Amino acid sequence: MWDGQELSPAVSNSACAVFQNFNVRRSTPNLTATAESSLTVPVHRSSVADGEHRRGKYLDMPAPVWHSNWSSMLFLSVILCLANFWLASAANNGLARTPPLGWNSWNRFACDISEETILSAAKSLVTTGLKDVGYEYVVIDDCWHADTRDPETNAPLWNPVTFPSGIDNLSDQIHSLGLKFGIYSSAGIHTCANRFGSLGYEDIDAKTYASWGVDYLKYDNCWNEGLSGNTTISYKRYEKMAHALNATGRPILYAMCNWGEDQSWTWAGELANSWRMSGDIADLFTGYDPGCPCTSLENCTQFGYRCAVTRILDWAADIAPYSGPGGWGDLDMLEVGNGNMTKDEYITHFSMWALVKSPLMLGNDLANMTAQTLDIISNKAIISINQDPLGVAASRVAQMPLEEGDVQVWVGPLADEATVVAIVNTSPANVTVTLPWSEILPPQLLALERVVRIFDLWQRVDDKRWGQELGPFTSLLSEAKLRPHETKVYRLEPQSTQDFAEFTVQS
Ligand code: GLA
């Protein structure tokens, strides 16, 4: 995506690491430094081990299993790579080898859209430099529709009042900016905002979208006429649009949005390039909202809306391994910049969506954003974690409960034998975390000992480097201090061969 020497892409064969203990000391305004406690965190086995029910009917993919040694990890990573191959080959359109990056109108504008709203967002992607860091899809969500389809041909029609120049024309303008254009429909008789849906009209809709120059279809789940409730029924409903899109001959990224119903993460990769895995996100960092009532993904039937970032992340932790080149679990569009979270919360949201390889679809008003928002969403080092060519989602390897939250550690392999590590503080307390690298790094990286370089990706240095380089590698990440709801992201990589040679001479 960019070619700064420090930012050249990198291949690792590690899957994830087992993390056995780390120390967290916390100090809240009520506690003095001496009241800090040192705690041991058990390995988090989560529900990834109870695999049987995760197997998709259409995809005989072994469910992720937690192993505690590296040979098992290697085995797991081979299985996952194979699974990724099956997933990717099934979508069969060659798209989304890395998670899609772009902007979508819904989170900020909902139905209050027009051709100006969409074009202004597209132009802003260019003028702010966001296009240059990789954001490319401009997607109109719900409410672009006329009241009815064309009564003679049944073709979909756009709203002539809000899109007077026509959606085909808007698409041309977006393309002329060097961007790609996306649209929305539902695999139901209506969309979620009660416009006409595509159920029964898949072929004519796909053909019409192709004639409008559409490059991306977000395909929702409302008003599905009861055609859900088991994998087969849901699969067949979404398969129709997959076939219709492929039949157009135009490469159209297929973004399924059935919220994870019928365990779609186990089979959606056969059909689609991304699949939503939860109810709708809200501009909320944490907490329970009755609008998002499910306590687990497994048996959820009311997916809802107003889902907080930390709840979606909890669900994603169990199913992230199903993602891979060609098909990605979608944690929903970003809320960064919509105003209801703190800077640290938005950084956590953006970082973790990037680490689990979710599509990064901006959801704010690009034409009126603050410098702080732009700074967060254009962090190239974080985006490069998301776009890493290895395409393996990070795993949550430890979770230590604290009052009103927890401290989590996530680890993921990157290309060129690099590794990403995130420490997430979802609690309202300041915490100090000490992390023994030996517990979480792949052995081949550990074997290099002092020649591993560590970068803190949120301590920005300049555009050409990953972030502030920490001092020489030692066995511990010592006393990382995290504010409430803050996340730190580290990239660890071997020195280049040349650096290595210099190092050995010096020693
Ligand atoms: C559903 C989707 C949202 C959005 C709305 C539009 O709720 O999950 O992302 O597309 O529909 O009505």
Side-chain angles (χ1 to χ4, degrees):
M1 194 189 318
W2 53 82
D3 53 17
Q5 195 196 338
E6 298 280 355
L7 296 185
S8 60
V11 179
S12 163
N13 57 9
S14 62
C16 57
V18 173
F19 177 77
Q20 278 171 336
N21 56 67
F22 71 109
N23 291 319
V24 175
R25 285 180 293 145
R26 62 204 146 126
S27 55
T28 65
N30 298 328
L31 294 172
T32 65
T34 51
E36 294 167 334
S37 52
S38 189
L39 299 152
T40 299
V41 181
V43 174
H44 175 61
R45 288 168 197 277
S46 183
S47 52
V48 286
D50 60 346
E52 190 55 34
H53 52 283
R54 290 185 197 280
R55 268 173 219 168
K57 172 159 186 201
Y58 297 89
L59 179 65
D60 193 17
M61 170 180 152
V65 178
W66 198 265
H67 291 278
S68 61
N69 62 61
W70 279 98
S71 54
S72 307
M73 286 298 172
L74 195 58
F75 173 73
L76 176 62
S77 78
V78 169
I79 297 281
L80 289 172
C81 289
L82 284 172
N84 288 340
F85 170 75
W86 295 326
L87 291 165
S89 54
N92 203 22
N93 61 11
L95 299 172
R97 305 308 299 167
T98 58
L101 302 177
W103 176 85
N104 173 299
S105 53
W106 185 256
N107 281 356
R108 173 64 180 78
F109 295 102
C111 282
D112 189 14
I113 51 167
S114 67
E115 59 189 40
E116 285 83 37
T117 329
I118 309 298
L119 200 54
S120 145
K123 287 180 179 161
S124 299
L125 280 181
V126 177
T127 54
T128 55
L130 288 167
K131 173 176 175 255
D132 294 337
V133 297
Y135 296 96
E136 62 173 344
Y137 289 98
V138 175
V139 181
I140 315 184
D141 207 281
D142 209 342
C143 305
W144 54 265
H145 314 67
D147 290 345
T148 59
R149 295 173 170 278
D150 183 316
E152 276 166 25
T153 64
N154 281 330
L157 297 173
W158 56 74
N159 183 326
V161 177
T162 47
F163 293 90
S165 317
I167 282 188
D168 51 355
N169 180 276
L170 177 61
S171 161
D172 285 349
Q173 294 193 65
I174 289 171
H175 287 140
S176 70
L177 293 168
L179 297 165
K180 292 185 172 148
F181 174 61
I183 208 163
Y184 161 100
S185 189
S186 179
I189 55 169
H190 305 299
T191 68
C192 298
N194 277 312
R195 278 36 178 202
F196 54 79
S198 293
L199 189 65
Y201 296 92
E202 291 85 356
D203 290 335
I204 179 98
D205 285 5
K207 266 190 214 141
T208 311
Y209 299 153
S211 76
W212 294 349
V214 164
D215 306 299
Y216 177 117
L217 174 68
K218 171 174 171 181
Y219 203 42
D220 216 332
N221 193 27
C222 285
W223 294 95
N224 64 30
E225 296 280 272
L227 295 175
S228 65
N230 68 52
T231 304
T232 311
I233 260 181
S234 282
Y235 185 100
K236 289 202 149 83
R237 185 162 46 91
Y238 279 94
E239 186 186 33
K240 284 198 177 123
M241 185 54 92
H243 287 161
L245 292 174
N246 283 345
T248 67
R250 183 177 173 85
I252 300 180
L253 192 151
Y254 187 27
M256 256 183 68
C257 176
N258 89 329
W259 320 311
E261 188 169 29
D262 297 328
Q263 286 82 46
S264 56
W265 58 90
T266 62
W267 50 266
E270 290 189 26
L271 302 177
N273 300 108
S274 67
W275 53 91
R276 274 275 298 280
M277 36 64 66
S278 73
D280 290 4
I281 194 171
D283 193 7
L284 289 174
F285 182 70
T286 195
Y288 174 83
D289 186 288
C292 178
C294 291
T295 49
S296 88
L297 269 192
E298 210 58 58
N299 306 310
C300 187
T301 51
Q302 262 188 287
F303 297 91
Y305 55 103
R306 293 193 61 74
C307 299
V309 162
T310 55
R311 300 197 76 210
I312 296 178
L313 190 59
D314 277 342
W315 292 328
D318 290 347
I319 63 173
Y322 287 93
S323 287
W328 309 97
D330 177 357
L331 277 61
D332 206 351
M333 286 99 57
L334 294 160
E335 293 283 4
V336 182
N338 282 335
N340 199 45
M341 292 190 229
T342 65
K343 179 180 176 194
D344 284 334
E345 291 169 346
Y346 282 139
I347 284 179
T348 295
H349 172 29
F350 189 66
S351 302
M352 296 318 295
W353 265 228
L355 258 83
V356 299
K357 309 285 194 253
S358 172
L360 297 178
M361 300 299 287
L362 303 168
N364 61 313
D365 181 358
L366 298 179
N368 294 294
M369 66 183 151
T370 62
Q372 178 179 289
T373 297
L374 179 61
D375 196 52
I376 295 173
I377 61 184
S378 52
N379 183 330
K380 294 203 285 193
I382 297 289
I383 295 169
S384 83
I385 300 292
N386 180 256
Q387 297 292 299
D388 183 85
L390 195 62
V392 177
S395 307
R396 186 161 64 190
V397 298
Q399 200 174 11
M400 194 188 80
L402 296 175
E403 229 170 278
E404 296 178 67
D406 56 16
V407 171
Q408 308 178 11
V409 180
W410 291 69
V411 181
L414 302 171
D416 286 345
E417 303 201 86
T419 296
V420 62
V421 176
I423 307 176
V424 186
N425 176 18
T426 71
S427 84
N430 291 304
V431 296
T432 304
V433 178
T434 292
L435 197 62
W437 292 126
S438 57
E439 299 282 353
I440 58 171
L441 293 183
Q444 69 271 27
L445 198 55
L446 277 173
L448 299 171
E449 290 184 345
R450 291 163 62 200
V451 290
V452 173
R453 301 177 75 183
I454 308 172
F455 300 90
D456 178 339
L457 305 194
W458 284 108
Q459 277 199 57
R460 317 282 281 276
V461 180
D462 59 41
D463 249 17
K464 289 263 183 292
R465 278 176 276 187
W466 295 119
Q468 181 67 50
E469 183 163 5
L470 302 191
F473 182 79
T474 56
S475 57
L476 288 180
L477 171 67
S478 191
E479 308 222 321
K481 297 196 183 321
L482 278 82
R483 295 183 292 270
H485 300 172
E486 188 189 356
T487 288
K488 287 195 178 292
V489 184
Y490 303 99
R491 180 186 172 97
L492 292 90
E493 61 182 31
Q495 301 262 22
S496 71
T497 315
Q498 199 185 341
D499 289 341
F500 183 83
E502 280 168 18
F503 175 82
T504 47
V505 169
Q506 282 162 11
S507 64

